Amino acid sequence: MLTKAQIRDLRSLRDRKHRETTGRFAVEGEKLVADLIAEGHAIEELYALESWTPPAGRHALPRRVVVSEEEMGRISHFPTPSPVLAVCVMRREELVPSMLATGRTLALDGVQDPGNVGTLIRVADWFGFACVLLSPDCADPHSPKVIQASMGSFARVPLFRTDLDEALSAAKVPVLGCDLTGESVHELAPQKNVVVVIGSEGRGLTDPVRERLTGRVTIPRIGKAESLNAAVAGAIVCAALAR
């Protein structure tokens, strides 16, 4: 049986400030937890129903606390609880300039919708991007909605919250920003070494980041839709570069 203090602590992981203060976050769902275990992500503790079956594999499982359905409902971050919840330790790697000297990187400039951030992490994973950079005003990559939208990709793709102006100033590869004034994505040649920058849903790219661009790309409109959301636009550009 969980104590009131344990329940309070687990519920407090819904709060971004508490996550950042403690360096811990929660992940729910059988597939997501299985991905964490398969990738060897640091898991502090597992809370699971008696009926939950751990995934097969050679990775050692952390300590498992068996909880009742009522307890899982109280600690879950979602209206419909899953059979398992993992408390994970945040990775604290620092971005170093050499990471932007080769390979493909996806950078998010103020993307605030959690669904878009999670989907863009998934896009980066799909197209083999080395890492994702997030400006400080992006949605928290450790929030439940971002994690769910990433479909496990957050466990595979290194994520760095960083000042994009400073980070991009050290890039040794082309820095390509998604912008309405750019060249058509259909004219874009594949590139193995590049940083792709996606701006916020409302204002686009910030001025300091624009100053760091070496090129701009746009997706020509054929129909009458007003716009594409950040995740869709990012997926189209990443697909063009990785083909």
Side-chain angles (χ1 to χ4, degrees), residues 5-167:
Q6 285 176 306
I7 293 173
R8 185 166 56 250
D9 176 61
L10 292 169
R11 290 171 63 89
S12 67
L13 293 177
R14 302 174 185 179
D15 180 68
R16 178 174 181 170
K17 184 176 180 180
H18 188 76
R19 290 194 297 268
E20 293 177 347
T21 299
T22 62
R24 298 152 63 237
F25 64 102
V27 175
E28 296 182 60
E30 293 180 273
K31 182 187 181 304
L32 294 179
V33 171
D35 286 339
L36 283 171
I37 294 170
E39 294 299 321
H41 199 292
I43 300 177
E44 186 177 88
E45 210 155 40
L46 285 174
Y47 296 85
L49 301 181
E50 184 78 46
S51 59
W52 178 68
T53 302
R58 291 177 293 177
H59 293 281
L61 292 175
R63 188 171 79 91
R64 173 182 173 182
V65 178
V66 177
V67 298
S68 67
E69 291 188 5
E70 189 272 337
E71 288 175 319
M72 185 61 81
R74 294 181 68 186
I75 65 176
S76 174
H77 296 194
F78 295 100
T80 303
S82 78
V84 61
L85 179 151
V87 175
C88 306
V89 180
M90 291 183 184
R91 289 170 171 159
R92 296 296 194 183
E93 299 98 332
E94 290 189 12
L95 180 70
V96 295
S98 61
M99 293 180 179
L100 301 184
T102 186
R104 299 187 185 105
T105 298
L106 184 61
L108 309 185
D109 183 18
V111 179
Q112 297 178 337
D113 181 83
N116 280 340
V117 170
T119 301
L120 284 164
I121 293 170
R122 187 178 178 185
V123 166
D125 189 19
W126 180 267
F127 290 110
F129 277 55
C131 63
V132 175
L133 312 183
L134 302 99
S135 64
D137 54 344
C138 281
D140 178 12
H142 296 104
S143 73
K145 289 183 179 180
V146 170
I147 289 171
Q148 291 289 321
S150 79
M151 291 297 291
S153 292
F154 79 96
R156 290 183 289 272
V157 180
L159 308 175
F160 299 95
R161 294 184 70 86
T162 185
D163 182 295
L164 288 189
D165 181 26
E166 181 179 345

